[in-house]
Amino acid sequence: MCQGLGYQPNAPQSSKEPVYSIECLKDNYIRVCKLLPDGRQLLVCGEAPTLTLWDLTQGKPIQKGEIKSTAPACYAVAISPDNKTCFSCCSDGNIAVWDLHNQKLINQFQGHTDGASCTDISTDGTKLWTGGLDNTVRSWDLREPTQKLETYEFTSQIFSLGYCPKDDWVAVGMESCYIELFNVNTSITEKYQLQKHESSVLSLKFSSGGDWFVTTGKDNQLNMWTTPHGYSIYQSLEAGSVLGCDISEDDRFIITVQVIRRQLCTKSSTEPSVDLAAGQYLDITDPSERTR
């Protein structure tokens, strides 16, 4: 069972009593915990043919629905700015397009020749970026969803990526432990390669302001970097591999999914606790506390 445990943000640091729990995806690993842009809903998916949608406005998470996919796993999702559409990266290489309100598949197209592993969407909702296990990053014009704009080739499988909301920067986390930032403005050829992780970079997320971004890895590390030069802001060694991350719209909280055996736990605090019961858990932290 994957179970989520929620903790009160203002509770004493020594208090670890959960205020709510979430059961999701049964015995399958969670790969994605995605806050919708309105901050009122949470989408969870992973190594299962289902995506679950949760309402966060009722005092405790309430499941709103469950979306069935034809692929055996979903590795990443992007949500349109109007909260209406979800783009999911499937293990079969396809990109599935979902109507979140009606919880129905409305389109699907071949994204990569191997599994589609990560995705992000531009702030205006017109361009989608996807990364794959075929060592490529691709961009798509969402006004014509099957219209591929560019293909960028790398020397390693792409495990994570993010599009900077401030400038034309795309950051890519790779299986090889490197992070690469490149500018997609054709008139600029700037490119940076960063390394602090000792293993695969499993997730990457830009802050809403675009001034910094977070990466997490199989090596249990969480790193915060400046955009685009990659100066280190903060580094933390967590209790287990950090599969995924997200950042709240106000840049106040970072959410991470960690694996310690099979259980999912959710907590909220200014610093992560590493002595919870063994499991896979969501960790909600305040980056402003970490940079003081």
Side-chain angles (χ1 to χ4, degrees):
M1 177 188 297
C2 286
Q3 182 182 19
L5 304 178
Y7 292 78
Q8 292 177 321
N10 298 323
Q13 289 294 313
S14 60
S15 174
K16 297 182 177 64
E17 289 299 318
V19 294
Y20 57 81
S21 63
I22 307 171
E23 294 182 12
C24 45
L25 303 192
K26 296 184 178 179
D27 292 327
N28 300 294
Y29 276 119
I30 293 171
R31 295 294 184 186
V32 179
C33 56
K34 183 68 175 179
L35 286 170
L36 271 64
D38 62 6
R40 301 164 64 87
Q41 301 176 83
L42 178 72
L43 187 66
V44 179
C45 56
E47 294 184 3
T50 56
L51 296 81
T52 58
L53 191 62
W54 299 82
D55 183 353
L56 304 180
T57 65
Q58 305 300 316
K60 64 177 182 179
I62 303 295
Q63 186 170 335
K64 292 183 63 177
E66 187 174 85
I67 302 172
K68 299 290 186 179
S69 172
T70 57
C74 174
Y75 293 143
V77 298
I79 309 296
S80 63
D82 61 7
N83 296 292
K84 294 181 179 180
T85 308
C86 170
F87 303 87
S88 63
C89 287
C90 303
S91 55
D92 58 9
N94 286 326
I95 309 299
V97 186
W98 305 92
D99 179 337
L100 287 177
H101 179 72
N102 297 309
Q103 298 173 22
K104 292 183 178 180
L105 181 69
I106 56 178
N107 195 9
Q108 184 167 275
F109 55 94
Q110 183 66 39
H112 294 266
T113 57
D114 203 342
S117 57
C118 48
T119 186
D120 202 2
I121 193 170
S122 62
T123 52
D124 62 5
T126 63
K127 185 180 291 187
L128 186 75
W129 296 85
T130 62
L133 304 182
D134 57 1
N135 296 16
T136 67
V137 169
R138 306 186 183 193
S139 62
W140 310 84
D141 185 347
L142 293 182
R143 293 163 293 190
E144 300 180 44
T146 59
Q147 178 63 44
K148 182 172 63 178
L149 297 177
E150 298 286 347
T151 298
Y152 304 86
E153 296 186 357
F154 294 82
T155 58
S156 176
Q157 291 182 326
I158 310 301
F159 279 9
S160 55
L161 69 79
Y163 179 77
C164 180
K166 182 179 179 181
D167 297 302
D168 292 326
W169 291 98
V170 172
V172 175
M174 295 184 285
E175 185 272 339
S176 63
C177 83
Y178 288 102
I179 299 160
E180 290 196 11
L181 281 85
F182 61 97
N183 197 296
V184 296
N185 187 330
T186 55
S187 65
I188 300 176
T189 58
E190 286 184 275
K191 185 176 182 180
Y192 299 93
Q193 187 177 82
L194 315 175
Q195 183 183 19
K196 271 189 176 294
H197 289 280
E198 298 174 358
S199 187
S200 304
V201 183
L202 300 179
S203 69
L204 187 154
K205 177 68 177 181
F206 278 96
S207 64
S208 296
D211 295 323
W212 53 274
F213 64 97
V214 172
T215 60
T216 69
K218 190 176 180 180
D219 57 0
N220 302 9
Q221 287 190 38
L222 180 149
N223 287 295
M224 296 174 63
W225 317 78
T226 61
T227 307
H229 301 98
Y231 300 125
S232 178
I233 301 175
Y234 178 83
Q235 184 177 35
S236 174
L237 186 64
E238 306 297 331
S241 296
V242 189
L243 295 181
C245 70
D246 201 4
I247 302 172
S248 61
E249 285 295 302
D250 58 7
D251 288 343
R252 290 187 58 203
F253 296 99
I254 300 170
I255 301 174
T256 58
V257 178
Q258 300 180 34
V259 172
I260 313 172
R261 288 192 231 143
R262 300 290 296 185
Q263 187 182 3
L264 165 70
C265 307
T266 308
K267 62 190 181 65
S268 178
S269 64
T270 56
E271 285 293 337
S273 297
V274 295
D275 56 350
L276 291 177
Q280 179 185 144
Y281 63 88
L282 296 178
D283 181 14
I284 305 176
T285 58
D286 186 343
S288 64
E289 295 288 338
R290 297 182 163 204
T291 56
R292 289 176 184 173

